Amino acid sequence: MKTETIPVEHQMQIHSSKQQSENHNVRPILPKVALPEIVFITSYPPRECGIATYSQDLVKSIKDKFVDTFTISICALEEGNANFQYPDEVLYTLNTNDSEGFENLAKELNSNDQIQLVMIQHEFGFFHGESESDLLKFMYTLTKPIVIVFHTVLPTPSNKVRINVQRIAAISKSIVVMTNHSAKILYKDYNVPKSKITVIEHGTHLVPHLSKDALKNKYKLKGKKVLSTFGLMSSGKGIETTLLALPEIIKLNPDVIFLAIGKTHPGVIQSEGEQYRNSLEQKVRDLQLSEHVKFINSYLPLQQLLEYLQLTDIYLFTSKDPEQAVSGTFSYAMSCACPIVSTPIPHAKEVLRADTGIIIDFQSDSQLAHAVNYLLQNEVLRKEFSSNTLQRIVPTNWQNAAISYGRLIQKTVGTEIIPKTDPTFHSDEGIVEIPSRTIIDLKFNIPKINLDHIKKLTTEFGMIQFSKINKPDIESGYTLDDNARALLAMGMHYKSTRSVLDLAYLEIYLGFIKFCFQEDSTFLNYVDKNHHFTSQNKEINLSDATGRAIWALGYIKSLHKILPEKLIETVDEIILKALPLILNMHSPRAMAFSIKGLYYFNQNLKSPEITNIIQVLADRLVQMYRHESGPAWNWFESYLTYANSILPEALLCAWIDTKKIEYKIIAKQSFAFLLNLIFEKDFIKVISNNGWLHKGQKPNLHGEQPLDVAYTILALDKFYKVFEEQEYLDKLKMAFSWFHGKNHLDKIIYNPCTGGCFDGLEENYVNLNQGAESTVSYLMARLTIKNYVGT
């Protein structure tokens, strides 16, 4: 469904339930072009509580993830005499002590045709006493689809609780919980149908993982072993358990300090003041721990909180509540790679494993002391825990949570019949099926270009090959492959931005290629961290790496009008010396890479010699195609492997240079064959690197590489520019969305926080390492789509 952003003048007309008037239940009808509206009913900042923070993070992530899809408005839950100054997205408020307020809100939401769904964040503390029945009446009255998000699911419930939850579940169209444990309780203890339940784990922040030592210096904790916990303070946090354990910990680790981060919970302040905090401070004095304990009595800004967690050596979670279903503080600590010692709440038992943390009994200071001492005395184990923790928790990032909620909203809202007057209406004669479309059309937003990880991977010598998560692994050394791709991508970036900062990187990558170019006019590929060529160069065929180098060099040559003359002279020198080597190529991808490079090299040169070499290589590809192709197999080999799209694209480039019509015909035939294999409905699934695809066999569906998606995007771009067929552009945009979550796992492959790209999409997980190949591949794809989206 085509939609447009609501114009500012119409936004100004949106009614706020906070404005009291006689016409409280009347809301102006928004223009037909307005986006569907989703209403979140939840506590919301500046109210200080965990669910308020959760909802703000969730709403922000959904807004960041999708564009021109729907609007989100907030109904902020209040109680008592609250007088908060809310942000603009809060259009409604509901005092849960006011029965009439529930009724008025239902009427207001029902009267607004733009509202397509209402999502309620449920916590028993929000709705108790009379407000429990008020909530049920509100839900029965509401005519909009309801999604309920249970933050707590009580096991072995009382009859009253069970009936109340069953009623809420019956009215709701969809139910969200954050752990599999909670889902199991819902359908076993409450008889809620499994089909209604969706598990969406508590979102976590993507963090850059800054230097622990640098952060300790920043916060005046140099030389300290840091233990921490955070959250709104109450007696349920069990912080006294840590204080009782500290004397034993200090015996072995005299440099330890414990940070208790967070204000006292507003509800606790209201009922008992600072009694609990005062008791903790007294215990610190009694145990003579003043040099080892620091209370940070404030609600820290997110960035500062994440920095405290990143400098933490061990995170302590000592909740005393065995029925606490989920903890946001626990999730945030994991996202910052903290090794964790935790009491056995359901959330901890589900996500902590033997290689990520240690679970102790409730209120056991002796077990806590033993676990902390064990980890503090074993730095290697702590680092292993940190790495494993990230592998476990990064998939729960807010970007992925937003995709999961977006899919759920889309599914819950459902479809609508397309009226015959609509320009998109189409019905074939004789077909009974009524044309329909999804009401919510998810459109993925495109993050800004971020070169941080590209620069982090680059030394003065070249681009490092691999990363462990987002930390470059110098032990992996360097390759010609990666530096050729980096030269190409940075050339594309310079062409787009003319940033003088790019020139230094272009010189580095070109310098590395020159380093790999040997006196006998051949290239070597593998270089170790000490800048020595490795034995791999004698064991592995280097023709593809050579072809990539020619492609990159040729592209840089095509930018000769905007690049320094010295760079172009180096390019000319290498390519002209390498021409005999290129003529002797027979590997299909090496030839294809080289054709592309020579095509760019010859754009302004118009050299008959270069055109002749292009034709020699293209004829070899044609010969391979004639040998292998058949009625159901329009391809150059009896199998498809990696970088497949480079072959038809190379023939298209050869046609542009030589005007030999056969190249164009085979380019279109082979590309159509490939596209038919790798596009499914509305997303791309490239050829798996797990066994590839052989003629006559079924494809292995899992094992997708960013490089293959990026090369497909480059080829689609070339075919669209040449033939101006809309299908190519549609597929290009579809393929690019793969990086941002439009894939079989609904997971992001590009990390907008670091600017890195994850190394692969497998059957059930994403490879979270952010190496050179994947990161540069994403940049090439991002710069390609920039031509069509303008940013």
Side-chain angles (χ1 to χ4, degrees):
M1 180 174 68
K2 292 185 178 180
T3 56
E4 297 176 19
T5 304
I6 304 172
V8 174
E9 61 268 23
H10 294 307
Q11 292 178 6
M12 299 299 292
Q13 298 173 13
I14 295 177
H15 174 79
S16 169
S17 67
K18 293 179 288 185
Q19 298 172 344
Q20 302 299 316
S21 71
E22 293 182 356
N23 297 320
H24 179 81
N25 295 323
V26 179
R27 187 171 183 180
I29 298 173
L30 293 176
K32 290 183 179 179
V33 295
L35 295 169
E37 182 179 346
I38 311 298
V39 177
F40 280 53
I41 299 178
T42 178
S43 60
Y44 208 72
R47 181 174 176 177
E48 293 175 347
C49 79
I51 293 176
T53 302
Y54 170 88
S55 294
Q56 186 179 52
D57 286 339
L58 175 59
V59 168
K60 182 182 183 303
S61 68
I62 293 174
K63 287 181 176 179
D64 288 346
K65 191 73 219 171
F66 302 111
V67 63
D68 294 336
T69 297
F70 45 66
T71 63
I72 296 177
S73 55
I74 308 298
C75 173
L77 294 174
E78 299 178 342
E79 59 182 3
N81 297 315
N83 186 25
F84 296 116
Q85 296 297 312
Y86 289 111
D88 292 343
E89 61 263 29
V90 178
L91 302 186
Y92 318 88
T93 60
L94 175 63
N95 190 320
T96 55
N97 296 328
D98 178 14
S99 296
E100 188 177 345
F102 282 89
E103 183 180 345
N104 291 337
L105 179 64
K107 289 178 181 178
E108 186 169 5
L109 299 184
N110 286 341
S111 69
N112 182 356
D113 291 339
Q114 276 316 118
I115 295 174
Q116 298 294 328
L117 180 140
V118 175
M119 184 174 293
I120 303 171
Q121 304 292 329
H122 182 278
E123 181 57 78
F124 289 100
F126 289 163
F127 308 104
H128 52 84
E130 289 188 14
S131 66
E132 189 174 275
S133 59
D134 289 336
L135 174 65
L136 279 170
K137 290 177 184 177
F138 166 78
M139 293 177 70
Y140 278 120
T141 305
L142 205 61
T143 58
K144 311 293 183 180
I146 298 171
V147 173
I148 195 87
V149 182
F150 283 120
H151 287 257
T152 297
V153 180
L154 298 172
T156 59
S158 66
N159 193 50
K160 180 182 177 183
V161 169
R162 184 175 64 256
I163 291 173
N164 185 54
V165 169
Q166 286 175 334
R167 286 174 175 170
I168 291 173
I171 306 166
S172 303
K173 197 166 182 181
S174 299
I175 299 165
V176 175
V177 292
M178 298 180 200
T179 65
N180 291 308
H181 178 78
S182 293
K184 188 176 181 180
I185 293 172
L186 270 183
Y187 65 75
K188 282 199 168 184
D189 291 5
Y190 295 86
N191 298 316
V192 175
K194 289 183 182 180
S195 59
K196 270 196 172 185
I197 303 168
T198 299
V199 177
I200 302 178
E201 293 187 78
H202 193 297
T204 55
H205 292 282
L206 293 167
V207 296
H209 301 292
L210 305 172
S211 163
K212 194 180 291 286
D213 289 338
L215 288 173
K216 285 183 179 181
N217 287 340
K218 177 178 178 177
Y219 290 100
K220 297 180 173 53
L221 294 168
K222 183 178 181 179
K224 298 290 186 181
K225 293 176 181 175
V226 179
L227 314 176
S228 76
T229 193
F230 87 94
L232 292 170
M233 196 172 290
S234 67
S235 59
K237 293 287 186 183
I239 291 173
E240 63 277 8
T241 303
T242 299
L243 299 183
L244 292 171
L246 274 174
E248 283 299 311
I249 296 171
I250 293 166
K251 285 180 184 178
L252 292 179
N253 302 279
D255 52 354
V256 80
I257 186 167
F258 171 56
L259 307 179
I261 305 168
K263 294 172 64 174
T264 303
H265 195 290
V268 173
I269 291 283
Q270 199 171 32
S271 62
E272 63 181 53
E274 290 286 11
Q275 181 179 327
Y276 180 61
R277 183 182 294 275
N278 292 339
S279 71
L280 294 176
E281 291 175 346
Q282 183 59 50
K283 194 173 291 291
V284 168
R285 290 190 290 271
D286 293 343
L287 295 172
Q288 300 181 352
L289 298 173
S290 298
E291 296 297 315
H292 299 278
V293 177
K294 182 179 180 181
F295 290 98
I296 301 174
N297 186 9
S298 59
Y299 198 80
L300 295 181
L302 177 64
Q303 194 59 41
Q304 191 176 0
L305 172 62
L306 294 176
E307 288 185 349
Y308 268 115
L309 291 175
Q310 287 176 79
L311 64 80
T312 294
D313 292 292
I314 303 174
Y315 185 80
L316 306 178
F317 186 82
T318 52
S319 169
K320 297 192 290 187
D321 182 5
E323 295 180 350
Q324 183 175 352
V326 69
S327 167
T329 65
F330 185 92
S331 297
Y332 283 22
M334 289 189 75
S335 73
C336 292
C338 297
I340 295 177
V341 176
S342 174
T343 49
I345 67 165
H347 191 189
K349 289 193 290 185
E350 186 162 313
V351 302
L352 274 190
R353 297 163 185 160
D355 61 353
T356 57
I358 298 173
I359 292 180
I360 61 171
D361 291 337
F362 291 106
Q363 297 179 272
S364 176
D365 55 277
S366 61
Q367 289 184 23
L368 179 61
H370 177 76
V372 169
N373 280 332
Y374 174 67
L375 287 174
L376 288 180
Q377 297 300 308
N378 194 333
E379 185 178 359
V380 173
L381 182 61
R382 289 204 312 277
K383 288 183 176 179
E384 183 180 329
F385 273 25
S386 292
S387 178
N388 294 336
T389 295
L390 279 179
Q391 291 285 351
R392 170 64 184 88
I393 206 67
V394 167
T396 69
N397 65 75
W398 280 115
Q399 293 256 331
N400 287 340
I403 297 169
S404 296
Y405 272 102
R407 295 288 188 205
L408 181 63
I409 290 169
Q410 183 184 52
K411 177 184 175 183
T412 304
V413 172
T415 60
E416 64 181 358
I417 295 172
I418 303 176
K420 290 184 178 180
T421 55
D422 191 288
T424 63
F425 177 87
H426 174 75
S427 180
D428 293 331
E429 187 176 348
I431 295 178
V432 179
E433 184 179 348
I434 300 174
S436 63
R437 61 189 168 197
T438 55
I439 296 173
I440 302 293
D441 182 16
L442 299 178
K443 298 183 179 72
F444 288 72
N445 198 9
I446 299 177
K448 293 180 180 178
I449 293 172
N450 179 356
L451 298 183
D452 287 355
H453 196 56
I454 293 280
K455 294 177 179 180
K456 195 173 179 181
L457 282 163
T458 304
T459 69
E460 293 181 355
F461 180 61
M463 177 168 281
I464 297 170
Q465 184 176 192
F466 297 138
S467 284
K468 294 179 178 178
I469 309 296
N470 70 320
K471 294 181 179 178
D473 179 15
I474 189 62
E475 297 298 322
S476 67
Y478 307 82
T479 67
L480 175 64
D481 285 329
D482 292 325
N483 282 271
R485 279 187 288 259
L487 179 68
L488 174 64
M490 196 57 71
M492 293 171 67
H493 188 264
Y494 182 75
K495 180 182 179 182
S496 174
T497 66
R498 300 296 200 276
S499 171
V500 293
L501 298 176
D502 293 350
L503 295 176
Y505 291 93
L506 288 169
E507 289 176 359
I508 289 171
Y509 306 138
L510 180 58
F512 185 89
I513 292 174
K514 187 175 181 180
F515 176 82
C516 292
F517 190 58
Q518 303 300 292
E519 290 185 3
D520 62 355
S521 297
T522 62
F523 289 92
L524 297 180
N525 189 22
Y526 301 98
V527 182
D528 67 20
K529 66 178 182 179
N530 297 314
H531 307 176
H532 298 140
F533 291 110
T534 72
S535 59
Q536 288 173 284
N537 291 294
K538 297 178 181 178
E539 301 163 0
I540 297 174
N541 190 308
L542 304 180
S543 60
D544 283 7
T546 298
R548 290 188 190 93
I550 299 302
W551 175 20
L553 292 167
Y555 180 77
I556 295 301
K557 171 68 172 181
S558 73
L559 306 179
H560 69 281
K561 292 181 180 178
I562 61 173
L563 286 174
E565 187 177 343
K566 186 178 178 182
L567 278 176
I568 302 303
E569 287 175 355
T570 302
V571 167
D572 287 342
E573 178 186 356
I574 297 173
I575 283 192
L576 293 175
K577 286 183 178 179
L579 290 179
L581 176 68
I582 296 171
L583 270 170
N584 287 322
M585 285 181 173
H586 289 85
S587 164
R589 281 157 189 78
M591 291 190 294
F593 289 132
S594 296
I595 288 171
K596 284 191 67 176
L598 295 176
Y599 157 76
Y600 283 116
F601 187 81
N602 207 34
Q603 276 185 341
N604 291 292
L605 195 62
K606 306 299 182 185
S607 163
E609 180 186 4
I610 300 298
T611 295
N612 180 64
I613 296 174
I614 289 174
Q615 185 165 325
V616 168
L617 298 180
D619 284 345
R620 288 174 187 166
L621 287 178
V622 168
Q623 184 61 33
M624 294 179 71
Y625 182 83
R626 286 174 175 167
H627 184 267
E628 292 294 343
S629 63
W633 189 262
N634 295 327
W635 200 244
F636 305 84
E637 301 165 292
S638 62
Y639 47 81
L640 289 98
T641 57
Y642 68 95
N644 296 297
S645 59
I646 204 78
L647 301 177
E649 186 191 0
L651 276 185
L652 185 59
C653 291
W655 170 69
I656 296 170
D657 187 276
T658 67
K659 304 304 179 186
K660 192 172 180 180
I661 193 68
E662 184 180 29
Y663 300 159
K664 181 179 82 167
I665 294 170
I666 294 176
K668 289 208 75 174
Q669 288 177 347
S670 58
F671 198 42
F673 172 74
L674 176 63
L675 295 180
N676 187 56
L677 287 173
I678 64 177
F679 279 91
E680 298 183 4
K681 294 182 180 178
D682 63 346
F683 67 92
I684 190 173
K685 183 181 277 291
V686 292
I687 301 301
S688 169
N689 67 344
N690 183 14
W692 307 119
L693 174 60
H694 292 261
K695 186 190 295 186
Q697 296 182 2
K698 292 183 178 180
N700 187 320
L701 298 178
H702 307 294
E704 300 172 68
Q705 303 298 301
L707 176 142
D708 287 306
V709 179
Y711 282 3
T712 303
I713 289 169
L714 293 178
L716 285 164
D717 175 58
K718 178 63 71 177
F719 274 78
Y720 177 70
K721 286 177 177 175
V722 171
F723 299 110
E724 298 183 346
E725 294 178 13
Q726 186 64 33
E727 179 191 3
Y728 294 132
L729 181 57
D730 291 343
K731 282 183 164 58
L732 186 156
K733 293 178 180 178
M734 197 184 301
F736 185 75
S737 292
W738 180 90
F739 288 102
H740 298 291
K742 203 170 187 179
N743 49 60
H744 77 269
L745 287 185
D746 285 337
K747 303 294 184 189
I748 59 169
I749 310 300
Y750 171 69
N751 184 332
C753 174
T754 63
C757 182
F758 299 133
D759 278 351
L761 177 67
E762 304 298 335
E763 181 176 4
N764 299 309
Y765 69 95
V766 174
N767 181 338
L768 299 178
N769 295 324
Q770 297 162 51
E773 178 186 294
S774 55
T775 297
V776 173
S777 293
Y778 174 80
L779 181 59
M780 287 192 288
R782 178 65 181 84
L783 289 164
T784 300
I785 204 167
K786 181 182 179 183
N787 297 325
Y788 302 101
V789 299
T791 58

